[in-house]
Amino acid sequence: MGVSMAERLQYEELARQLSAIGAVKRGLSRALPAECPGGSAAVLSLMAHHGDMRMSRLAELLAVDMSVTSRHVAHVVDRGWIERLPDPDDRRSRILRLTPAGHDMLADLGRRTTDMLARTLQDWSDDDVGRLTALLALLRDSFGDCRAHATRTPA
C-alpha cells in the first residue's frame, strides 16, 4: 500500500503529537496521591477492569516483566489495596483480588483524574471533549489490545 506525500506528512505529524502524549500522562500523574504512583494506579485499574487474576496475567496486561509486576503488586498489597489468595486450581499460585480499600483508592483516583481533566480542559467545548474521547477510542481499537500481545518491532 503506497502512501502519498500528503498522507506521509499527516502521519508524521500524528506521530509527533502522539509522542507528546507523554507530557499529558505526566501531568495526569501529578494528580495521583504520593502513596499511589502510576504503576500502582495501573494495577488497580486493570484489576477493576479484568477482575481477579494471577500475577502472570497482570504482567501480560501491564506489558512489563514479572519482576516489575511483583514490585507493583508488593506496593499495593502493603497498602491493603489488593490481596493474594490461594488459587483453587493450583495451590502453588496466588490469585490477586481488589479489596474494599482498593476500590476506595480507585474511586479517589477517578475523582482526582476527572477533576484535573475538568480544570485543564475547562476552555474546551463539550463537543471537542467528546470528539477527542471518540477519536482516542477509535485509535485504540485500531491498534487492538497491544498489552495482551506485547511484541516489539524494530523502530
Side-chain angles (χ1 to χ4, degrees), residues 126-154:
D126 290 345
D127 286 344
D128 284 345
V129 173
R131 193 171 23 248
L132 176 62
T133 302
L135 288 171
L136 288 172
L138 182 60
L139 178 65
R140 176 158 182 195
D141 287 348
S142 294
F143 275 86
D145 190 357
C146 301
R147 295 174 302 191
H149 308 86
T151 59
R152 293 187 181 226
T153 56

Side-chain angles (χ1 to χ4, degrees), residues 52-92:
D52 300 354
M53 68 183 78
R54 288 183 177 175
M55 182 95 72
S56 57
R57 175 67 174 143
L58 182 59
E60 179 182 283
L61 290 169
L62 288 168
V64 297
D65 188 83
M66 279 294 281
S67 64
V68 174
T69 303
S70 293
R71 286 192 300 273
H72 289 319
V73 167
H75 182 85
V76 295
V77 166
D78 288 348
R79 278 144 189 84
W81 299 331
I82 66 169
E83 59 187 345
R84 293 183 184 117
L85 302 170
D87 183 340
D89 296 328
D90 181 356
R91 289 296 198 195
R92 296 168 297 167

Side-chain angles (χ1 to χ4, degrees), residues 31-33 36 41 44-45 48 81 98-115:
L32 301 177
C36 189
L44 295 175
S45 178
W81 299 331
L98 269 174
T99 65
H103 286 285
D104 291 345
M105 177 51 72
L106 268 171
D108 182 41
L109 296 174
R111 280 188 300 276
R112 288 168 179 262
T113 302
T114 300
D115 290 349

Side-chain angles (χ1 to χ4, degrees), residues 5-69:
M5 181 55 84
E7 288 174 319
R8 180 169 302 285
L9 292 172
Q10 185 176 24
Y11 290 127
E12 286 173 358
E13 179 59 22
L14 176 58
R16 280 190 290 277
Q17 293 301 323
L18 288 174
S19 69
I21 293 293
V24 173
K25 290 176 71 175
R26 286 187 298 278
L28 286 171
S29 71
R30 287 192 285 277
L32 301 177
E35 70 272 13
C36 189
S40 297
V43 167
L44 295 175
S45 178
L46 288 170
M47 295 288 303
H49 183 74
H50 294 279
D52 300 354
M53 68 183 78
R54 288 183 177 175
M55 182 95 72
S56 57
R57 175 67 174 143
L58 182 59
E60 179 182 283
L61 290 169
L62 288 168
V64 297
D65 188 83
M66 279 294 281
S67 64
V68 174
T69 303

